[in-house]
Amino acid sequence: MSPARTAALTVAAMLAFAANSLLCRIALRDTHIDAASFTAIRLASGALMLWLVVRVRGGLVGPHGNWPSALALFAYAAAFSYAYLTLPAAAGALLLFGAVQATMIGYGLWRGERLDVVQWAGLTLAGGGLVGLLLPGLAAPPAGGAALMIASGIAWGVYSLRGRGAGNATSVTAGNFIRALPFAAVLGLAMLPRADLDAAGVAYAIASGALASGLGYAIWYSALPGLRATSAATVQLSVPVIAALGAAVFLDEAITLRLALASAAVLGGIALVIARRGVGK
């Protein structure tokens, strides 16, 4: 794959990932769709898109994926939707990213991975940024929404860890999306008395599932072979930044000083941890 193609695919994937936060927030803020319905439609449309991608490439979906990973995927998607009932898009994207990275770094430490002084400093800086964002105050994100988004990030971190070395990533992800549908159906049935739909909300949910999630993951997995592991991790630092800029432009969200400082601390700290992993490799 040429460097230009890799770069184009990577940019498209990062835009898609950031768009998930924007689409979910605008749907739950500005339309009548409820969080459970958004989750179910997002997962169903994502499953359909990934199934189509795999079929077009001549692959099979059925044997791939597993139920524990599907449950983690569903937990991520459901907590993500309910968090955005109250969270601004930019703060939500930062909390999600921070929780994902904290989960994966924590797993590495638990498995015996050692960090050097610079990495520990980066981890401390990132942790301080998250604490600073969540401290009580007028600019603090809602506590309930923040807790749900952190839970969503942990679930996605678990899903990502389980997916390492699982073979064809697109086929595996398609299988897990399909397996997540029964969990989404149970949530939908449990919340049926509060269900509410409108055309705009459904359209945003389909866009989130089919384009930002399904097609976004397929594009990202196509770009990964052209990226070094360190580069693949580092480029994802752009997602919360893109989401914040998109939220300012499309959702009229203010980029507060607290959010800006927290973002610099979290993303800068994680960048130090990731960059040092590539030293000498």
Side-chain angles (χ1 to χ4, degrees), residues 2 18-19 24 35 54 73-74 92 103 116 118 125 127 150-151 156 163 167 179 191 194 205 207 214 252 256 279:
S2 69
C24 186
V54 173
L73 174 63
F74 163 73
T103 300
D116 60 24
V118 174
L125 179 62
I150 290 171
W156 185 254
R179 283 181 167 85
M191 302 303 294
R194 300 183 182 181
D252 295 322
T256 65
V279 174

Side-chain angles (χ1 to χ4, degrees), residues 232-247:
T234 303
V235 74
Q236 294 179 65
L237 294 169
S238 66
V239 173
V241 177
I242 296 170
L245 294 175

Side-chain angles (χ1 to χ4, degrees), residues 113-144:
E113 180 179 333
R114 295 184 178 182
L115 303 183
D116 60 24
V117 174
V118 174
Q119 288 176 306
W120 276 114
L123 198 57
T124 302
L125 179 62
L130 284 176
V131 171
L133 178 65
L134 296 173
L135 282 175
L138 291 177

Side-chain angles (χ1 to χ4, degrees), residues 17-265:
F17 294 161
N20 255 326
S21 290
L22 304 181
L23 290 167
C24 186
R25 176 56 178 159
I26 196 170
L28 295 170
R29 187 192 71 175
D30 296 345
T31 78
H32 296 296
I33 194 169
D34 62 287
S37 296
F38 185 95
T39 301
I41 295 170
R42 179 189 177 190
L43 289 172
S45 55
L48 178 59
M49 175 60 75
L50 284 162
W51 180 84
L52 289 172
V53 169
V54 173
R55 292 296 296 169
V56 166
R57 292 177 178 177
L60 296 173
V61 175
H64 298 284
N66 57 79
W67 289 106
S69 291
L71 179 59
L73 174 63
F74 163 73
Y76 147 75
F80 184 92
S81 298
Y82 279 96
Y84 272 131
L85 286 171
T86 57
L87 275 184
L94 180 61
L95 288 169
L96 176 74
F97 179 84
V100 170
Q101 294 300 317
T103 300
M104 300 185 76
I105 293 170
Y107 177 77
L109 292 173
W110 181 71
R111 290 293 303 269
E113 180 179 333
R114 295 184 178 182
L115 303 183
D116 60 24
V117 174
V118 174
Q119 288 176 306
W120 276 114
L123 198 57
T124 302
L125 179 62
L130 284 176
V131 171
L133 178 65
L134 296 173
L135 282 175
L138 291 177
L148 283 168
M149 190 58 79
I150 290 171
S152 178
I154 292 171
W156 185 254
V158 169
Y159 180 81
S160 299
L161 289 167
R162 289 187 55 82
R164 287 179 172 179
N168 186 312
T170 304
S171 294
V172 170
T173 302
N176 285 327
F177 261 77
I178 291 171
R179 283 181 167 85
L181 294 180
F183 299 119
V186 170
L187 175 64
L189 288 173
M191 302 303 294
L192 192 58
R194 300 183 182 181
D196 196 4
L197 295 172
D198 62 3
V202 171
Y204 284 127
I206 292 173
S208 176
L211 302 179
S213 297
L215 194 58
Y217 296 143
I219 291 171
W220 175 236
Y221 296 142
S222 296
L224 277 178
L227 296 171
R228 293 189 306 168
T230 304
S231 300
T234 303
V235 74
Q236 294 179 65
L237 294 169
S238 66
V239 173
V241 177
I242 296 170
L245 294 175
V249 173
F250 298 109
L251 302 178
D252 295 322
E253 289 185 7
I255 300 178
T256 65
L257 179 60
R258 178 190 286 222
L259 177 63
L261 292 175
S263 298

